[in-house]
Amino acid sequence: MIKIYGSFVSRATRNLWMLEELGLEYEHVSLDWAKQENRSAAYLKINPAGKVPTLEDGDATLSESLGINLYLVQKYGQGGLWPDDDAGRALCVQWSFWAAAELEPLAYGRIREFLFKKEPDRDQALIANMAERTGPLLDLMTLALDEHAYLSGETFTVADLNAACVMEYLDRSDFDLSGWPKVAAWYTNTYGRPANQKIQDQRAPIAADMMKRLQG
Amino acid sequence: MITLYGNDRSRATRNVWMLEELGVEYERDMVDHTKGEAKTESFLAINPGGKVPALRDGDVVMFESLAINLYLAMTYGKGGLWPDDAVGQAACVQWTVFSATEVEPHTVGALIELIFKPEAARDEAAAQACLARLPPVLNVLETTLSDLAFLGGDTFTAADLNVACVVNSLNMIGFDFTPYPKMTAWVKTCVARQG
Ligand SMILES: N[C@@H](CCC(=O)N[C@@H](CS)C(=O)NCC(=O)O)C(=O)O
Ligand SMILES: N[C@@H](CCC(=O)N[C@@H](CS)C(=O)NCC(=O)O)C(=O)O
Protein backbone atom coordinates (compact mmCIF):
# COMPACT_ATOMS: atom_id res chain seq x y z
CA MET A 1 0.00 0.00 0.00
CA ILE A 2 1.22 3.49 -0.88
CA LYS A 3 2.02 5.63 2.16
CA ILE A 4 2.26 9.40 2.14
CA TYR A 5 3.78 11.27 5.09
CA GLY A 6 2.90 14.87 5.91
CA SER A 7 -0.08 16.75 7.30
CA PHE A 8 -2.87 18.63 5.54
CA VAL A 9 -1.02 21.85 6.29
CA SER A 10 2.12 20.86 4.40
CA ARG A 11 3.20 20.29 0.83
CA ALA A 12 1.81 16.75 1.24
CA THR A 13 -1.52 18.14 -0.03
CA ARG A 14 0.12 18.34 -3.46
CA ASN A 15 0.58 14.58 -3.42
CA LEU A 16 -2.77 13.83 -1.81
CA TRP A 17 -4.36 15.70 -4.71
CA MET A 18 -2.38 13.63 -7.23
CA LEU A 19 -3.21 10.36 -5.45
CA GLU A 20 -6.90 11.26 -5.62
CA GLU A 21 -6.64 12.17 -9.32
CA LEU A 22 -5.10 8.81 -10.04
CA GLY A 23 -7.72 7.02 -7.96
CA LEU A 24 -5.08 5.17 -5.97
CA GLU A 25 -5.51 3.65 -2.56
CA TYR A 26 -3.13 5.07 -0.01
CA GLU A 27 -2.47 5.48 3.68
CA HIS A 28 -2.02 9.04 4.90
CA VAL A 29 0.40 9.45 7.83
CA SER A 30 -0.12 12.95 9.13
CA LEU A 31 3.10 13.98 10.86
CA ASP A 32 2.67 17.03 13.05
CA TRP A 33 5.30 19.52 12.10
CA ALA A 34 4.59 21.77 15.10
CA LYS A 35 5.41 18.77 17.34
CA GLN A 36 8.59 18.02 15.38
CA GLU A 37 7.29 14.57 14.48
CA ASN A 38 9.19 14.92 11.23
CA ARG A 39 12.45 14.95 13.20
CA SER A 40 11.91 11.64 15.00
CA ALA A 41 14.60 8.99 14.52
CA ALA A 42 12.10 6.72 12.77
CA TYR A 43 11.15 9.38 10.26
CA LEU A 44 14.74 10.49 9.65
CA LYS A 45 15.43 6.94 8.47
CA ILE A 46 12.82 7.39 5.78
CA ASN A 47 13.88 10.93 4.90
CA PRO A 48 17.25 12.08 6.27
CA ALA A 49 16.35 15.70 5.47
CA GLY A 50 13.51 15.47 7.99
CA LYS A 51 11.11 17.24 5.68
CA VAL A 52 7.67 16.32 4.50
CA PRO A 53 6.25 15.02 2.28
CA THR A 54 7.76 11.57 1.72
CA LEU A 55 6.17 8.77 -0.28
CA GLU A 56 6.62 5.04 0.13
CA ASP A 57 5.53 2.79 -2.70
CA GLY A 58 6.82 -0.77 -2.51
CA ASP A 59 10.62 -0.53 -2.60
CA ALA A 60 10.60 3.09 -3.68
CA THR A 61 10.89 5.81 -1.05
CA LEU A 62 11.13 9.40 -2.19
CA SER A 63 10.73 12.98 -1.11
CA GLU A 64 10.28 16.33 -2.88
CA SER A 65 6.62 17.07 -3.42
CA LEU A 66 6.78 17.90 -7.12
CA GLY A 67 9.14 14.98 -7.78
CA ILE A 68 6.73 12.61 -6.02
CA ASN A 69 3.99 13.76 -8.39
CA LEU A 70 6.20 13.16 -11.42
CA TYR A 71 7.01 9.69 -10.13
CA LEU A 72 3.37 8.80 -9.41
CA VAL A 73 2.13 10.00 -12.77
CA GLN A 74 4.70 8.03 -14.73
CA LYS A 75 3.89 4.89 -12.84
CA TYR A 76 0.11 5.23 -12.59
CA GLY A 77 -1.01 7.94 -15.00
CA GLN A 78 0.23 6.80 -18.43
CA GLY A 79 -1.93 8.14 -21.21
CA GLY A 80 -3.86 10.32 -18.79
CA LEU A 81 -2.18 12.83 -16.52
CA TRP A 82 1.09 11.65 -18.12
CA PRO A 83 0.70 12.05 -21.89
CA ASP A 84 1.69 9.37 -24.38
CA ASP A 85 3.70 11.61 -26.67
CA ASP A 86 7.22 12.96 -26.17
CA ALA A 87 6.20 16.57 -26.73
CA GLY A 88 3.48 16.39 -24.08
CA ARG A 89 5.81 14.70 -21.61
CA ALA A 90 8.55 17.25 -22.21
CA LEU A 91 6.09 20.02 -21.33
CA CYS A 92 4.96 18.18 -18.21
CA VAL A 93 8.53 18.03 -16.96
CA GLN A 94 9.22 21.59 -18.09
CA TRP A 95 6.27 23.15 -16.24
CA SER A 96 6.97 21.11 -13.12
CA PHE A 97 10.52 22.45 -12.97
CA TRP A 98 9.40 25.92 -13.89
CA ALA A 99 6.99 25.77 -10.94
CA ALA A 100 9.81 24.60 -8.67
CA ALA A 101 12.60 26.87 -9.88
CA GLU A 102 10.85 30.03 -11.03
CA LEU A 103 7.43 30.30 -9.40
CA GLU A 104 7.85 28.71 -5.98
CA PRO A 105 10.61 31.00 -4.67
CA LEU A 106 8.42 34.05 -5.37
CA ALA A 107 5.10 32.53 -4.37
CA TYR A 108 6.46 30.96 -1.19
CA GLY A 109 8.51 34.04 -0.37
CA ARG A 110 5.26 36.00 -0.53
CA ILE A 111 3.08 33.70 1.52
CA ARG A 112 5.68 33.42 4.27
CA GLU A 113 5.20 37.12 4.92
CA PHE A 114 1.45 36.58 5.24
CA LEU A 115 1.54 33.39 7.30
CA PHE A 116 4.32 33.93 9.76
CA LYS A 117 4.07 37.67 10.32
CA LYS A 118 1.25 39.86 11.52
CA GLU A 119 0.07 42.63 9.26
CA PRO A 120 2.18 45.51 10.68
CA ASP A 121 5.38 43.42 10.58
CA ARG A 122 5.14 42.39 6.94
CA ASP A 123 7.91 43.54 4.65
CA GLN A 124 5.88 45.54 2.13
CA ALA A 125 8.88 46.37 -0.04
CA LEU A 126 9.72 42.67 -0.36
CA ILE A 127 6.10 41.80 -1.14
CA ALA A 128 6.00 44.48 -3.86
CA ASN A 129 9.32 43.40 -5.35
CA MET A 130 8.20 39.77 -5.51
CA ALA A 131 4.87 40.73 -7.05
CA GLU A 132 6.71 42.64 -9.74
CA ARG A 133 8.91 39.65 -10.56
CA THR A 134 5.85 37.36 -10.60
CA GLY A 135 4.24 39.32 -13.44
CA PRO A 136 6.49 37.98 -16.23
CA LEU A 137 5.86 34.42 -15.03
CA LEU A 138 2.12 34.93 -15.37
CA ASP A 139 2.70 36.45 -18.82
CA LEU A 140 4.54 33.28 -19.79
CA MET A 141 1.68 31.10 -18.59
CA THR A 142 -0.76 33.26 -20.52
CA LEU A 143 1.17 32.62 -23.74
CA ALA A 144 0.91 28.86 -23.18
CA LEU A 145 -2.79 29.16 -22.37
CA ASP A 146 -3.33 31.20 -25.54
CA GLU A 147 -2.21 28.13 -27.45
CA HIS A 148 -4.11 25.43 -25.60
CA ALA A 149 -6.61 24.97 -22.79
CA TYR A 150 -4.03 23.56 -20.39
CA LEU A 151 -0.32 24.10 -19.93
CA SER A 152 0.89 21.04 -21.82
CA GLY A 153 -1.97 20.72 -24.33
CA GLU A 154 -5.71 20.33 -24.58
CA THR A 155 -6.10 18.13 -21.52
CA PHE A 156 -5.34 18.39 -17.82
CA THR A 157 -1.97 16.82 -16.92
CA VAL A 158 0.65 16.77 -14.18
CA ALA A 159 1.94 20.06 -15.65
CA ASP A 160 -1.26 21.77 -14.49
CA LEU A 161 -1.43 20.01 -11.17
CA ASN A 162 2.18 20.85 -10.26
CA ALA A 163 1.87 24.46 -11.36
CA ALA A 164 -1.50 25.00 -9.65
CA CYS A 165 -0.39 23.60 -6.31
CA VAL A 166 2.42 26.17 -6.25
CA MET A 167 0.16 28.95 -7.55
CA GLU A 168 -1.97 28.18 -4.49
CA TYR A 169 0.44 30.33 -2.43
CA LEU A 170 -0.44 33.36 -4.53
CA ASP A 171 -4.14 32.65 -4.15
CA ARG A 172 -3.92 32.22 -0.38
CA SER A 173 -2.07 35.50 -0.05
CA ASP A 174 -4.68 37.39 -2.10
CA PHE A 175 -2.46 38.03 -5.11
CA ASP A 176 -4.49 39.99 -7.66
CA LEU A 177 -4.71 37.84 -10.80
CA SER A 178 -7.17 40.13 -12.59
CA GLY A 179 -4.46 41.32 -14.99
CA TRP A 180 -4.06 37.72 -16.19
CA PRO A 181 -7.62 36.53 -16.88
CA LYS A 182 -6.55 33.33 -18.67
CA VAL A 183 -4.36 32.31 -15.78
CA ALA A 184 -7.11 33.14 -13.30
CA ALA A 185 -9.66 31.03 -15.21
CA TRP A 186 -7.18 28.16 -15.62
CA TYR A 187 -6.39 28.25 -11.91
CA THR A 188 -10.04 28.22 -10.81
CA ASN A 189 -10.80 25.37 -13.16
CA THR A 190 -7.71 23.34 -12.23
CA TYR A 191 -7.63 23.95 -8.51
CA GLY A 192 -11.37 23.31 -8.23
CA ARG A 193 -11.17 19.77 -9.59
CA PRO A 194 -13.13 17.29 -7.46
CA ALA A 195 -9.97 15.36 -6.50
CA ASN A 196 -8.45 18.50 -5.00
CA GLN A 197 -11.74 19.64 -3.51
CA LYS A 198 -11.83 16.43 -1.51
CA ILE A 199 -8.40 17.22 -0.04
CA GLN A 200 -9.11 20.90 0.53
CA ASP A 201 -12.31 20.05 2.43
CA GLN A 202 -10.30 17.92 4.82
CA ARG A 203 -7.63 20.58 5.10
CA ALA A 204 -9.93 23.52 5.84
CA PRO A 205 -10.62 22.98 9.57
CA ILE A 206 -6.98 22.08 10.26
CA ALA A 207 -5.74 25.13 8.38
CA ALA A 208 -8.19 27.41 10.19
CA ASP A 209 -6.81 26.12 13.48
CA MET A 210 -3.25 26.71 12.38
CA MET A 211 -4.05 30.25 11.22
CA LYS A 212 -5.55 31.01 14.62
CA ARG A 213 -2.31 29.89 16.24
CA LEU A 214 -0.10 31.81 13.80
CA GLN A 215 -2.11 35.02 13.52
CA GLY A 216 -3.67 35.03 17.00
CA MET B 1 18.39 16.77 -35.04
CA ILE B 2 18.57 18.18 -31.50
CA THR B 3 19.41 21.86 -31.07
CA LEU B 4 20.55 23.24 -27.73
CA TYR B 5 20.27 26.99 -27.25
CA GLY B 6 22.62 28.82 -24.89
CA ASN B 7 26.38 29.26 -24.59
CA ASP B 8 28.95 28.01 -22.09
CA ARG B 9 28.37 30.92 -19.77
CA SER B 10 24.86 29.62 -19.08
CA ARG B 11 23.17 26.60 -17.56
CA ALA B 12 23.33 25.05 -21.04
CA THR B 13 26.59 23.44 -19.89
CA ARG B 14 24.61 20.97 -17.79
CA ASN B 15 22.65 19.96 -20.88
CA VAL B 16 25.87 19.57 -22.88
CA TRP B 17 27.07 17.20 -20.18
CA MET B 18 23.85 15.17 -20.45
CA LEU B 19 23.92 15.10 -24.27
CA GLU B 20 27.53 13.92 -24.22
CA GLU B 21 26.71 11.19 -21.68
CA LEU B 22 23.89 9.96 -23.89
CA GLY B 23 26.02 10.09 -27.01
CA VAL B 24 23.24 11.59 -29.10
CA GLU B 25 23.92 13.96 -31.96
CA TYR B 26 23.12 17.60 -31.43
CA GLU B 27 23.99 21.05 -32.60
CA ARG B 28 24.39 24.20 -30.59
CA ASP B 29 22.99 27.64 -31.10
CA MET B 30 25.22 29.84 -28.97
CA VAL B 31 22.57 32.37 -27.97
CA ASP B 32 24.45 34.79 -25.68
CA HIS B 33 22.09 35.89 -22.90
CA THR B 34 24.69 38.35 -21.60
CA LYS B 35 24.30 40.29 -24.87
CA GLY B 36 20.50 40.30 -24.82
CA GLU B 37 20.29 37.53 -27.43
CA ALA B 38 17.77 35.59 -25.32
CA LYS B 39 15.29 38.45 -25.81
CA THR B 40 15.34 38.59 -29.63
CA GLU B 41 12.19 37.82 -31.53
CA SER B 42 13.65 34.67 -33.04
CA PHE B 43 14.67 33.26 -29.65
CA LEU B 44 11.42 34.29 -27.96
CA ALA B 45 9.71 32.01 -30.48
CA ILE B 46 11.65 29.15 -28.83
CA ASN B 47 11.32 30.29 -25.21
CA PRO B 48 8.87 33.16 -24.70
CA GLY B 49 10.36 33.50 -21.20
CA GLY B 50 13.57 34.82 -22.81
CA LYS B 51 15.95 32.57 -20.91
CA VAL B 52 18.52 30.00 -21.87
CA PRO B 53 18.93 27.09 -22.04
CA ALA B 54 16.20 25.79 -24.32
CA LEU B 55 16.03 22.68 -26.46
CA ARG B 56 14.45 21.66 -29.72
CA ASP B 57 14.14 17.99 -30.62
CA GLY B 58 11.78 17.46 -33.55
CA ASP B 59 8.42 18.73 -32.37
CA VAL B 60 9.61 18.94 -28.76
CA VAL B 61 10.48 22.51 -27.75
CA MET B 62 11.18 23.16 -24.10
CA PHE B 63 13.01 25.22 -21.48
CA GLU B 64 14.21 24.74 -17.84
CA SER B 65 17.68 23.24 -17.70
CA LEU B 66 17.02 20.41 -15.25
CA ALA B 67 13.75 19.51 -16.96
CA ILE B 68 15.63 19.29 -20.26
CA ASN B 69 18.05 16.84 -18.66
CA LEU B 70 15.25 14.64 -17.31
CA TYR B 71 13.50 14.68 -20.67
CA LEU B 72 16.72 13.71 -22.45
CA ALA B 73 17.47 10.93 -19.96
CA MET B 74 13.91 9.54 -20.13
CA THR B 75 13.93 9.61 -23.91
CA TYR B 76 17.49 8.56 -24.80
CA GLY B 77 18.89 7.04 -21.61
CA LYS B 78 16.52 4.17 -20.84
CA GLY B 79 18.27 1.48 -18.85
CA GLY B 80 21.25 3.78 -18.33
CA LEU B 81 21.04 7.33 -17.05
CA TRP B 82 17.29 6.71 -16.72
CA PRO B 83 17.06 3.36 -14.92
CA ASP B 84 14.48 0.74 -15.85
CA ASP B 85 13.18 0.16 -12.33
CA ALA B 86 10.78 2.29 -10.32
CA VAL B 87 13.28 2.71 -7.48
CA GLY B 88 15.93 4.12 -9.79
CA GLN B 89 13.46 6.39 -11.55
CA ALA B 90 12.18 7.64 -8.19
CA ALA B 91 15.74 8.60 -7.26
CA CYS B 92 16.17 10.50 -10.52
CA VAL B 93 13.09 12.66 -10.07
CA GLN B 94 13.57 13.16 -6.35
CA TRP B 95 17.19 14.30 -6.60
CA THR B 96 16.61 16.47 -9.62
CA VAL B 97 13.82 18.35 -7.83
CA PHE B 98 15.97 18.48 -4.69
CA SER B 99 18.70 20.10 -6.75
CA ALA B 100 16.26 22.70 -8.11
CA THR B 101 14.47 23.55 -4.88
CA GLU B 102 16.90 22.89 -2.04
CA VAL B 103 20.37 23.45 -3.52
CA GLU B 104 20.33 25.78 -6.51
CA PRO B 105 18.57 28.79 -4.93
CA HIS B 106 21.40 29.04 -2.39
CA THR B 107 24.31 28.30 -4.73
CA VAL B 108 23.06 30.73 -7.36
CA GLY B 109 22.27 33.35 -4.72
CA ALA B 110 25.87 33.18 -3.47
CA LEU B 111 27.40 33.11 -6.96
CA ILE B 112 25.44 36.18 -8.05
CA GLU B 113 26.59 38.22 -5.08
CA LEU B 114 30.21 37.03 -5.14
CA ILE B 115 31.14 36.85 -8.82
CA PHE B 116 28.38 37.58 -11.33
CA LYS B 117 27.44 41.08 -10.23
CA PRO B 118 29.73 44.01 -10.96
CA GLU B 119 32.01 44.49 -7.97
CA ALA B 120 30.38 47.67 -6.74
CA ALA B 121 26.93 46.06 -6.58
CA ARG B 122 27.96 42.93 -4.66
CA ASP B 123 26.37 42.23 -1.28
CA GLU B 124 28.66 40.12 0.89
CA ALA B 125 26.04 39.72 3.65
CA ALA B 126 23.48 38.38 1.19
CA ALA B 127 26.06 35.91 -0.13
CA GLN B 128 26.86 34.72 3.38
CA ALA B 129 23.14 34.29 4.12
CA CYS B 130 22.86 31.96 1.11
CA LEU B 131 25.96 30.00 2.09
CA ALA B 132 24.59 29.60 5.62
CA ARG B 133 21.62 27.68 4.22
CA LEU B 134 23.82 25.06 2.59
CA PRO B 135 25.19 22.88 5.45
CA PRO B 136 21.92 21.03 6.24
CA VAL B 137 21.36 20.45 2.54
CA LEU B 138 24.90 19.22 1.85
CA ASN B 139 24.65 17.00 4.92
CA VAL B 140 21.72 15.22 3.31
CA LEU B 141 24.01 14.40 0.39
CA GLU B 142 26.85 13.41 2.71
CA THR B 143 24.55 11.03 4.63
CA THR B 144 23.15 9.48 1.47
CA LEU B 145 26.61 9.00 -0.04
CA SER B 146 27.99 7.33 3.05
CA ASP B 147 25.87 4.29 2.14
CA LEU B 148 25.82 4.54 -1.63
CA ALA B 149 28.35 5.12 -4.40
CA PHE B 150 25.86 7.23 -6.33
CA LEU B 151 22.63 8.96 -5.33
CA GLY B 152 20.41 6.27 -6.85
CA GLY B 153 22.59 3.27 -5.96
CA ASP B 154 25.58 1.61 -7.63
CA THR B 155 25.59 3.40 -10.93
CA PHE B 156 25.76 6.95 -12.24
CA THR B 157 22.33 8.25 -13.33
CA ALA B 158 20.53 11.49 -14.14
CA ALA B 159 20.17 12.01 -10.38
CA ASP B 160 23.94 12.39 -10.01
CA LEU B 161 24.42 14.59 -13.03
CA ASN B 162 21.61 16.97 -12.05
CA VAL B 163 22.84 17.42 -8.49
CA ALA B 164 26.58 17.39 -9.21
CA CYS B 165 26.33 20.16 -11.83
CA VAL B 166 24.78 22.43 -9.22
CA VAL B 167 27.04 21.50 -6.28
CA ASN B 168 30.14 21.75 -8.46
CA SER B 169 29.35 25.39 -9.25
CA LEU B 170 30.49 26.16 -5.69
CA ASN B 171 34.06 25.57 -6.87
CA MET B 172 33.81 28.90 -8.69
CA ILE B 173 33.78 30.69 -5.34
CA GLY B 174 36.37 28.57 -3.55
CA PHE B 175 33.78 26.95 -1.30
CA ASP B 176 35.19 24.89 1.58
CA PHE B 177 34.21 21.29 0.87
CA THR B 178 36.21 19.70 3.72
CA PRO B 179 33.20 19.03 6.02
CA TYR B 180 31.75 16.78 3.30
CA PRO B 181 34.38 14.20 2.30
CA LYS B 182 31.99 11.63 0.77
CA MET B 183 30.15 14.25 -1.21
CA THR B 184 33.42 15.80 -2.37
CA ALA B 185 34.73 12.49 -3.68
CA TRP B 186 31.42 11.87 -5.42
CA VAL B 187 31.38 15.30 -7.10
CA LYS B 188 34.93 14.68 -8.35
CA THR B 189 33.98 11.28 -9.77
CA CYS B 190 30.92 12.73 -11.49
CA VAL B 191 32.63 15.78 -12.90
CA ALA B 192 35.58 13.74 -14.19
CA ARG B 193 33.20 11.99 -16.59
CA GLN B 194 32.95 15.21 -18.58
CA GLY B 195 36.58 14.63 -19.61
N1 LIG C 1 11.26 21.14 -1.66
C1 LIG C 1 10.57 20.35 -0.67
C2 LIG C 1 10.30 21.19 0.56
C3 LIG C 1 9.79 20.40 1.69
C4 LIG C 1 9.55 21.25 2.92
O1 LIG C 1 10.21 22.27 3.17
N2 LIG C 1 8.59 20.81 3.75
C5 LIG C 1 8.22 21.52 4.94
C6 LIG C 1 6.75 21.42 5.18
S1 LIG C 1 5.78 21.81 3.76
C7 LIG C 1 8.92 20.86 6.13
O2 LIG C 1 8.98 19.65 6.21
N3 LIG C 1 9.40 21.65 7.07
C8 LIG C 1 9.85 21.16 8.32
C9 LIG C 1 11.30 21.28 8.54
O3 LIG C 1 12.02 21.76 7.65
O4 LIG C 1 11.72 20.87 9.62
C10 LIG C 1 9.29 19.78 -1.24
O5 LIG C 1 8.72 20.39 -2.15
O6 LIG C 1 8.86 18.69 -0.82
N1 LIG D 1 15.38 27.92 -14.01
C1 LIG D 1 15.95 28.22 -15.30
C2 LIG D 1 16.84 29.45 -15.20
C3 LIG D 1 17.24 29.98 -16.55
C4 LIG D 1 18.07 31.26 -16.46
O1 LIG D 1 17.91 32.05 -15.53
N2 LIG D 1 18.96 31.42 -17.45
C5 LIG D 1 19.84 32.57 -17.51
C6 LIG D 1 21.21 32.14 -18.01
S1 LIG D 1 21.84 30.72 -17.19
C7 LIG D 1 19.28 33.58 -18.49
O2 LIG D 1 18.89 33.22 -19.59
N3 LIG D 1 19.22 34.84 -18.10
C8 LIG D 1 18.80 35.89 -18.99
C9 LIG D 1 17.68 36.70 -18.41
O3 LIG D 1 17.11 36.32 -17.38
O4 LIG D 1 17.41 37.74 -18.99
C10 LIG D 1 16.75 27.03 -15.80
O5 LIG D 1 17.24 26.25 -14.98
O6 LIG D 1 16.86 26.84 -17.01
Side-chain angles (χ1 to χ4, degrees):
Chain A
M1 168 90 92
I2 293 175
K3 253 194 200 178
I4 179 77
Y5 295 83
S7 80
F8 279 112
V9 284
S10 78
R11 288 174 174 87
T13 50
R14 300 170 173 187
N15 307 123
L16 291 165
W17 177 5
M18 176 58 90
L19 288 160
E20 289 293 336
E21 288 284 354
L22 296 171
L24 294 167
E25 265 191 71
Y26 59 89
E27 180 186 339
H28 179 200
V29 185
S30 174
L31 297 178
D32 189 342
W33 172 64
K35 290 192 197 133
Q36 301 252 313
E37 286 177 356
N38 56 311
R39 300 279 162 178
S40 71
Y43 185 68
L44 288 176
K45 262 201 196 134
I46 298 170
N47 179 353
K51 297 208 175 183
V52 293
T54 302
L55 180 94
E56 286 183 318
D57 177 24
D59 291 341
T61 301
L62 73 156
S63 58
E64 286 301 332
S65 54
L66 300 176
I68 291 171
N69 280 349
L70 282 175
Y71 164 85
L72 285 170
V73 82
Q74 288 177 56
K75 193 153 172 211
Y76 303 107
Q78 300 274 345
L81 268 62
W82 182 241
D84 278 330
D85 61 307
D86 281 346
R89 291 177 171 186
L91 293 182
C92 285
V93 183
Q94 167 191 292
W95 285 110
S96 298
F97 277 85
W98 173 86
E102 304 287 322
L103 183 61
E104 187 158 32
L106 294 174
Y108 186 66
R110 175 184 172 90
I111 203 171
R112 275 170 60 105
E113 292 292 315
F114 286 77
L115 282 182
F116 303 119
K117 291 185 187 169
K118 298 208 172 127
E119 169 106 56
D121 304 328
R122 289 176 194 153
D123 185 340
Q124 296 302 336
L126 180 76
I127 293 173
N129 171 283
M130 286 189 173
E132 196 180 309
R133 287 155 60 206
T134 304
L137 301 183
L138 301 174
D139 292 342
L140 185 63
M141 288 182 93
T142 300
L143 288 174
L145 296 170
D146 279 341
E147 277 178 44
H148 24 68
Y150 290 94
L151 290 175
S152 67
E154 291 304 336
T155 60
F156 173 79
T157 67
V158 63
D160 304 290
L161 197 159
N162 275 349
C165 65
V166 176
M167 183 83 74
E168 172 191 88
Y169 293 148
L170 295 183
D171 182 36
R172 291 209 178 120
S173 56
D174 298 321
F175 187 95
D176 180 10
L177 280 178
S178 61
W180 297 272
K182 286 222 171 150
V183 176
W186 162 87
Y187 178 77
T188 305
N189 164 25
T190 299
Y191 197 76
R193 289 173 65 89
N196 188 38
Q197 203 53 59
K198 185 171 167 192
I199 300 306
Q200 297 306 322
D201 288 347
Q202 295 175 78
R203 175 187 184 273
I206 300 167
D209 236 41
M210 181 190 77
M211 285 311 284
K212 245 188 263 156
R213 256 186 295 135
L214 290 175
Q215 294 290 319
Chain B
M1 174 66 101
I2 296 176
T3 307
L4 175 66
Y5 301 84
N7 69 13
D8 288 343
R9 295 179 61 192
S10 77
R11 290 172 173 86
T13 50
R14 53 182 70 161
N15 304 127
V16 170
W17 181 1
M18 177 58 85
L19 287 159
E20 291 292 336
E21 288 281 353
L22 295 170
V24 295
E25 260 192 79
Y26 64 97
E27 57 182 27
R28 298 206 40 197
D29 184 331
M30 298 289 189
V31 173
D32 187 347
H33 65 285
T34 66
K35 296 200 179 116
E37 291 174 10
K39 312 285 183 204
T40 62
E41 206 174 310
S42 64
F43 184 71
L44 290 175
I46 305 289
N47 177 7
K51 293 191 179 188
V52 287
L55 182 94
R56 176 194 284 284
D57 177 15
D59 64 349
V60 173
V61 182
M62 70 185 297
F63 51 87
E64 280 302 325
S65 58
L66 295 174
I68 291 171
N69 274 355
L70 271 191
Y71 161 78
L72 288 170
M74 284 172 183
T75 311
Y76 300 106
K78 291 193 181 81
L81 264 67
W82 181 251
D84 281 328
D85 62 308
V87 174
Q89 294 179 2
C92 288
V93 284
Q94 167 190 294
W95 288 112
T96 305
V97 180
F98 176 86
S99 184
T101 63
E102 305 291 315
V103 195
E104 188 161 34
H106 312 311
T107 57
V108 169
L111 260 60
I112 286 177
E113 296 300 340
L114 294 175
I115 52 176
F116 294 151
K117 274 192 184 169
E119 221 152 308
R122 292 179 192 169
D123 180 344
E124 175 71 26
Q128 292 310 323
C130 288
L131 293 174
R133 307 288 295 275
L134 281 170
V137 176
L138 300 182
N139 276 325
V140 171
L141 293 171
E142 186 68 12
T143 305
T144 304
L145 293 164
S146 45
D147 296 333
L148 299 172
F150 291 99
L151 291 174
D154 297 334
T155 59
F156 179 85
T157 67
D160 301 288
L161 196 161
N162 283 343
V163 178
C165 65
V166 173
V167 173
N168 189 48
S169 69
L170 289 169
N171 277 313
M172 289 198 267
I173 52 170
F175 184 80
D176 177 14
F177 279 94
T178 48
Y180 318 100
K182 299 267 175 209
M183 184 194 77
T184 309
W186 162 84
V187 174
K188 279 201 184 123
T189 307
C190 293
V191 171
R193 298 172 63 95
Q194 290 181 94

